[in-house]
Amino acid sequence: MAKVAMTVNGRKVSRECEDRTLLVHFIRDQLSLTGTHVGCDTSQCGACVVHMDGKAVKSCSILAAQAAGAEILTIEGLAANGELHPVQAAFKANHGLQCGFCTPGMVMSAVDMINRYGARLDEKTVRENLEGNICRCTGYHNIVKAILAAAAEMGAAGRQAAE
């Protein structure tokens, strides 16, 4: 057993866990944050995507001990002051989900994508970057539409803040 400490959604946490505990299980089982889903356990589906030190990672492929000292952001930490994050709002407005199982991973991947590409984000880039996220319901059209809408809104908000 190892004592693992990290910051999750802005809150310092420390728990004992087995050395082989995956970050996804630490988040779900130790912290009771169940928005991060376990879909495949092979890092193929993207349902477990969280941000570690500002970058999207598949939490089923990282040991909790490897995240010691890191800043982790899960889907539960994305909204602020009762307001949906622009990506969450865009998924809702553009019907970018059906069953919702893949949605947390898609949203977290989208936020990372928008952070990396900003205004340069286009449909081709979104589709290429979603390659590691599987949705069995939607056919991706509305997911791509939602990500592009969020990128446009976040770009506009950034321009307004700079003015």
Side-chain angles (χ1 to χ4, degrees):
M1 298 286 273
K3 187 157 189 135
V4 178
M6 62 187 76
T7 303
V8 179
N9 299 333
R11 196 183 87 205
K12 291 192 181 304
V13 298
S14 180
R15 303 283 191 283
E16 283 196 9
C17 63
E18 291 185 37
D19 295 338
R20 64 189 173 117
T21 302
L22 294 172
L23 180 58
V24 68
H25 295 298
F26 183 84
I27 290 167
R28 290 180 60 81
D29 302 337
Q30 299 286 328
L31 305 179
S32 299
L33 297 172
T34 57
T36 303
H37 293 160
V38 179
C40 65
D41 276 332
T42 60
S43 76
Q44 301 294 312
C45 75
C48 67
V49 172
V50 298
H51 292 184
M52 185 165 95
D53 293 330
K55 293 185 169 70
V57 297
K58 291 182 178 179
S59 61
C60 75
S61 65
I62 296 171
L63 295 171
Q66 290 175 291
E71 295 267 343
I72 304 296
L73 179 66
T74 71
I75 192 74
E76 290 91 346
L78 212 50
N81 302 319
E83 294 288 322
L84 292 177
H85 183 278
V87 174
Q88 292 172 307
F91 267 68
K92 181 180 177 185
N94 290 281
H95 310 287
L97 61 113
Q98 282 184 15
C99 81
F101 190 82
C102 72
T103 305
M106 289 283 188
V107 168
M108 298 305 288
S109 293
V111 170
D112 178 68
M113 196 183 314
I114 293 167
N115 288 342
R116 286 184 292 119
Y117 290 97
R120 299 184 324 267
L121 201 55
D122 59 21
E123 182 176 343
K124 181 178 185 277
T125 305
V126 170
R127 288 185 181 278
E128 286 172 354
N129 279 265
L130 285 179
E131 210 166 275
N133 293 75
I134 296 173
C135 175
R136 291 176 171 89
C137 301
T138 67
Y140 299 91
H141 177 76
N142 287 346
I143 292 170
V144 172
K145 188 173 148 186
I147 294 169
L148 292 172
E153 179 170 325
M154 290 170 72
R159 283 191 298 274
Q160 288 173 348
E163 292 174 356

